[in-house]
Each structure stands twice: as structure tokens, then as C-alpha cells.
Amino acid sequence: MGNEKIETVELGNGGPRVGVQGLGCMGMSFAYGPTDADEARATLERALELGVTLFDTADMYGMGENEKFIAPFIQAHRDEVVLATKFALSVDPDDPTKRVIRNDRAYIRQAVEGSLRRLGVDEIDLYYMHRREVNVPLEESVGAMAELVAEGKVKYLGLSEVTGGELRAAQAVHPIMAVQSEWSLFSRDIENGVVQAAAELGVGLVPYSPLGRGFLTGAFVQADKELAADDFRRQQPRFTGDNAAANAALLEPVRAIAEAHGATPGQIALAWLQQQATARGLAVVPIPGTRKRSRVEENTAATRIRLTEQDLAQLEPIAGKVAGARYADMTFTSAGRE
């Protein structure tokens, strides 16, 4: 089963054709503690063998190091992959826990040149605005991004963590092919506007953290007790203390359904998300992150699981019971502005 190639889908009206599941590359060199670089590189190759073609990174992951890490793979398979990277976020040099957001034209032009250089490519396939700086007019930001398309530096435009209204405003400036936002059994706030706008406009959805940053797989319960000191998840409210314990209890129906399907809990979480494409009438291409070949085989196999109506009914209430927010500061998310 793990050797079968996944199906493909058009990511947005007129967008690139990609595997129905992508790969989030962030954790290969950033945010989730120590990594095995050789295994991570082998995972990139294995993902491509399995039909994964959308590879996702960002300039702020390790301050450019993640782009450099995947660059040799991208260059070796340039005609086979769809490369996605992002701009707008950087780390405050005086406080590594703080993020700085910039969407102005000058910064965007500076950012794209840096990404092109680190990745060693002439054109980025899908270029996202990572977060929105509300004091910069959206028309200015998307207008600057559109200039990059006209200049041949970027092929398609994407946005991350925007509201439904912001997506409509951006689409009026230049076609948007994809919106990347957190969406999973534990995080469904984008269903309050973003999903509907994307379906209406023919924009693809690229859910990040579709496995709840590993929590939905049962990989950990208490982030502050089980994960490395530099692991980003220790800063997220739903993964620590009483919240984590309460949320772990919500996984019982996921485990029961997994057992019935001869699958893992993570596969059920991904299958649920993949089936939202049909339910919501739009392309949905999750980008679970992993740095292990065995995990990418498990994740892609989930695209062939079909959940029953009864399964879906059991999973439906979970998100509404989750304790704790996605981030300690939700002002930079679509939910904080929707």
C-alpha cells in the first residue's frame, strides 16, 4: 500500500497540478528539536516517489536555513516538484520568541531575492504572504506580489492565515491560487469564513499542522514534559498543563475509528481532512510535516482511506471541545480578525 502513488488535483482554478498531499519541510531543520539530516533528505526523495509534489518551506524557518536545506533536492527535481515558500515573518533579534511581520513592497522585493538565492532557483512556484500586517494595505502587498509574477520570479500567489474578506480583497488585485491555514480535527476556525470564500473563488486550501503538530497521532501528550527544550510546541497553550490532559482524552474516538479501519490515529485525522475537499467543494492539499520515510509512507496511505458517515459524525464534535488556543497570541491568525 505504501508504494502506491497518490492522486493529483489542481490547486486552485488554473493553478499547478499537485499530489493531493504535500510535505511540510519546516521540521527538517527548525522548531521541533534535533533532526537527522540524512534521514530528512531521504524523506524528501521518498515523498516524491509516492507522488508528493508540493514541498513547503518559508524564509523564516531557521532564518533561511530550511530553504538552504531543501535546495539541493529542489534543484535535482526542478521539473517534478512545486516549490512553495513564504515571506513576511522574521524573528526579533532581541527576543527570539517574538515575531516581526512585514508586508510592505520594499520588504517583499528584498525577501523574494533572498529566497531565490538560498533555494538556487530562478522562479518560485507558489509564493505565500506568511502573515498579514494589518497596517499595510492588502492592495499594496498583493500588488507587489503581482509584480513578481509579471517579472517571472514567481509563478503563483498564495496567502496564509487570512480571513475570508481579506481573501476576496486580494483576489480582486491578482488571482490567488492557495490559502494556507491551520485546519485539522482540533482546529476548525477557518470554517467560519475562509473555507467558504476559497470555495466560492476557486482557491485551493493547503492545511498546515493537519496532525495537530503531532498531538493527533498520540506522539506526545505534555509538550513541556516530553519534548526538547527548544521545541516550539512547548509554547502552545493546548499542548501543556491541564489543557493537554483534557485534549488527550478527546482522541478516544479517533483511536477507535483507526482500529476499525486498520489504520493509525494520524491516518484518520488526515483522511478526515482529505474528505473535506468533497464536502466543501474545493481542492484540499494538507502538508503534514515529517522527517522520516516511514511517516511519509503512513501519511500518503491515508489518502486512500474513506471514512463512513458514522465515522464523520463521531469526529464532528472534537474541535469544539479543545482546550487552549492554537497560539499564545492569536492576533496574527485569521481567527483573530475574522
Side-chain angles (χ1 to χ4, degrees):
M1 189 172 182
N3 291 320
E4 295 178 31
K5 277 201 171 189
I6 61 175
E7 296 177 358
T8 63
V9 67
E10 186 180 68
L11 185 61
N13 289 347
R17 191 148 199 97
V18 298
V20 294
Q21 188 181 107
L23 181 65
C25 300
M26 179 181 79
M28 291 184 171
S29 62
F30 176 73
Y32 292 158
T35 187
D36 179 335
D38 289 339
E39 177 62 18
R41 291 187 187 95
T43 299
L44 292 167
E45 297 286 350
R46 183 64 178 133
L48 185 59
E49 288 174 2
L50 292 167
V52 173
T53 55
L54 178 63
F55 292 83
D56 184 272
T57 183
D59 61 1
M60 72 89 58
Y61 299 161
M63 298 177 68
E65 289 304 312
N66 196 247
E67 288 181 325
K68 291 179 184 177
F69 181 82
I70 70 168
F73 168 78
I74 296 295
Q75 293 163 24
H77 301 284
R78 192 66 194 96
D79 295 336
E80 303 169 77
V81 303
V82 173
L83 165 65
T85 191
K86 316 177 197 71
F87 73 89
L89 271 179
S90 59
V91 177
D92 183 337
D94 297 323
D95 183 354
T97 66
K98 287 187 177 180
R99 302 289 184 259
V100 178
I101 302 177
R102 286 187 62 181
N103 293 168
D104 57 279
R105 177 177 265 101
Y107 181 80
I108 292 171
R109 300 200 70 86
Q110 171 190 324
V112 75
E113 294 299 338
S115 287
L116 288 168
R117 184 177 64 253
R118 287 186 294 271
L119 289 159
V121 297
D122 297 324
E123 184 178 47
I124 294 163
D125 297 315
L126 178 57
Y127 199 41
Y128 288 104
M129 185 172 78
H130 206 162
R131 292 291 186 272
R132 169 103 200 273
E133 165 50 70
V134 295
N135 295 315
V136 177
L138 195 60
E139 292 74 14
E140 176 185 335
S141 303
V142 179
M145 295 169 73
E147 291 172 7
L148 302 180
V149 176
E151 294 167 14
K153 293 176 180 177
V154 171
K155 194 172 290 184
Y156 304 106
L157 301 185
L159 302 170
S160 180
E161 289 285 0
V162 291
T163 67
E166 289 166 348
L167 175 56
R168 289 187 175 92
Q171 185 81 351
V173 178
H174 187 279
I176 303 298
M177 287 303 148
V179 169
Q180 183 175 137
S181 287
E182 186 165 355
W183 195 13
S184 73
L185 283 173
F186 263 35
S187 302
R188 297 181 59 179
D189 50 72
I190 68 166
E191 295 173 25
N192 296 327
V194 183
V195 172
Q196 294 86 341
E200 173 191 319
L201 298 170
V203 175
L205 257 170
V206 178
Y208 72 82
S209 299
L211 295 172
R213 300 189 186 276
F215 193 85
L216 287 167
T217 70
F220 70 98
V221 175
Q222 292 281 354
D224 50 338
K225 296 178 181 177
E226 299 173 50
L227 303 180
D230 60 348
D231 195 300
F232 167 71
R233 291 168 289 186
R234 293 166 65 103
Q235 302 171 26
Q236 295 185 288
R238 59 179 49 169
F239 300 143
T240 57
D242 292 341
N243 287 348
N247 292 337
L250 299 177
L251 296 178
E252 187 50 45
V254 183
R255 285 192 289 267
I257 293 168
E259 187 173 348
H261 282 269
T264 65
Q267 287 177 319
I268 297 305
L270 288 170
W272 175 85
L273 195 49
Q274 301 274 186
Q275 282 181 230
Q276 295 303 306
T278 302
R280 309 277 177 173
L282 77 171
V284 177
V285 181
I287 48 168
T290 186
R291 33 200 188 183
K292 294 181 180 178
R293 283 168 287 183
S294 60
R295 289 298 186 199
V296 85
E297 290 167 358
E298 176 184 329
N299 292 345
T300 53
T303 66
R304 292 180 285 276
I305 295 173
R306 294 293 174 264
L307 301 178
T308 67
E309 290 300 319
Q310 184 178 356
D311 294 335
L312 295 171
Q314 286 182 269
L315 297 171
E316 184 63 26
I318 291 175
K321 299 176 182 177
V322 172
R326 295 198 272 130
Y327 295 98
D329 182 356
M330 286 289 285
T331 60
F332 303 124
T333 69
S334 59
R337 300 189 305 277
E338 193 70 68

